[in-house]
Amino acid sequence: MPIGFEQHDHTTCIQTALTSAEAHCADEGLQLTKVRRRVLELLLLEHKALGAYDILSTLNTEGLGSQPPIVYRALDFLVANGFAHKIEKLNAYSACCHPGKSHAPVFMICRTCQAVVETQTEPLRNFLGTTAKAAGFLIERTVIEIEGSCPTCQKAETL
Amino acid sequence: MPIGFEQHDHTTCIQTALTSAEAHCADEGLQLTKVRRRVLELLLLEHKALGAYDILSTLNTEGLGSQPPIVYRALDFLVANGFAHKIEKLNAYSACCHPGKSHAPVFMICRTCQAVVETQTEPLRNFLGTTAKAAGFLIERTVIEIEGSCPTCQKAETL
DNA sequence: ATGTGTAATGTTATACTATAACATGTGGAA
DNA sequence: TTCCACATGTTATAGTATAACATTACACAT
Ligand SMILES: [Zn+2]
Ligand SMILES: [Zn+2]
Ligand SMILES: [Zn+2]
Ligand SMILES: [Zn+2]
């Protein structure tokens, strides 16, 4: 699981996520159907976010469906069960890098290469919790997205 | 300026924000034109987020324009100059409650009554800065949105 | 094996959000 | 006056997401 933008064995990311999803579905009696599994695989291919219609066009070439509800239902399932996240800033979706753990993910989004790295910080959760409590607000979900420039693209820009 | 959901003299919110916008525009040679000013006023009416097409329909009844670019241009201006923010989670727009100050706003969004409260915390900026620096990431913009239930709606739910 | 209920998928249509592209007007500076 | 920068008007279209209803697949009780 990458905690940043460094190189890593991405095959492991994919395997871990799929195994975790299978296990969780088995435990909870959820069905990781063909379409749902394929969408998760597509999201896992890279640490990028994919638009619903990008995914749909791949599904279409693979004969898994051609209409928007196909992909939105699969995405709803994956997001509802913590296997993927929606990146609000991009209207796009990204596989979860910390499956199985309850978490308030933080996304770093590179404006240039579209890389999306998911990290998670306990202090941040605590801090938002404190902020919310001070206002009497009950937290249900958090969206924390940082847009900027990843290490690779920063180097490229200074050339 | 509210820092939470408590009652407050909202007339002051509106006046402060408008005055601040006028001053900033005067300083920077920006034009707070009729449409732009009106959109800002609409966003200031309540601490809620308004969709672009909601705003547009009001503009339309007032003879200020009926086509989407009218409202999106005004919103772009207001957002670019820090007079308003886009709430990504809602695809909606909200007047800035801390105009004039460079800030990384935090929004608390009530899922029930759609109230949007903007707060701002220096420690949070520091946290995110630290997280980003650890990954070599250069921050350009942040989206921090908390969805949940405001004090009023919590009380209503327990009835 | 047969009905029954639930979950998933198929299909059509439509709603909602946002921008591209080009024309026109407006007001100040050269 | 001419030019330029900016704002607005207008038409069209792109991009994102859901409603609604029909059909299928399958587990499970009868
Ligand atoms: Zn995650
Ligand atoms: Zn990058
Ligand atoms: Zn603000
Ligand atoms: Zn509320």
Side-chain angles (χ1 to χ4, degrees), chain A:
Chain A
M1 299 300 155
I3 56 163
F5 291 89
E6 66 273 8
Q7 289 296 327
H8 62 284
D9 178 4
H10 190 55
T11 309
T12 308
C13 286
I14 297 177
Q15 268 314 316
T16 307
L18 284 175
T19 304
S20 166
E22 283 161 4
H24 186 250
C25 287
D27 285 356
E28 306 285 330
L30 301 168
Q31 303 178 47
L32 190 60
T33 60
K34 194 149 69 169
V35 175
R36 291 169 176 178
R37 186 191 167 93
R38 185 61 184 142
V39 172
L40 180 54
E41 286 172 356
L42 292 172
L43 291 177
L44 282 165
L45 283 179
E46 287 184 272
H47 289 289
K48 306 213 165 172
L50 297 180
Y53 283 77
D54 296 332
I55 298 168
L56 183 57
S57 85
T58 301
L59 293 181
N60 195 14
T61 66
E62 297 175 351
L64 288 171
S66 63
Q67 297 306 319
I70 297 292
V71 66
Y72 280 105
R73 285 167 181 161
L75 288 169
D76 286 348
F77 172 86
L78 296 173
V79 170
N81 292 287
F83 306 140
H85 300 288
K86 180 173 183 186
I87 312 295
E88 297 291 343
K89 181 75 192 186
L90 302 176
N91 291 322
Y93 302 82
S94 180
C96 178
C97 285
H98 309 94
K101 297 160 196 146
S102 143
H103 58 288
V106 176
F107 296 98
M108 288 180 276
I109 305 165
C110 179
R111 181 186 34 77
T112 306
C113 71
Q114 281 80 53
V116 171
V117 164
E118 176 183 358
T119 182
Q120 187 214 347
T121 73
E122 203 51 39
L124 183 55
R125 277 189 94 173
N126 296 338
F127 193 78
L128 287 180
T130 305
T131 302
K133 186 171 285 182
F137 191 81
L138 178 67
I139 295 184
E140 290 168 355
R141 276 174 295 280
T142 57
V143 176
I144 307 170
E145 297 170 358
I146 310 176
E147 223 186 359
S149 188
C150 77
T152 306
C153 292
Q154 283 175 59
K155 277 175 209 135
E157 277 169 17
T158 59
L159 289 183

Side-chain angles (χ1 to χ4, degrees), chain B residues 5 110-115 149-154:
Chain B
F5 291 90
C110 180
R111 181 184 35 77
T112 306
C113 71
Q114 282 79 52
S149 188
C150 77
T152 307
C153 291
Q154 284 173 60

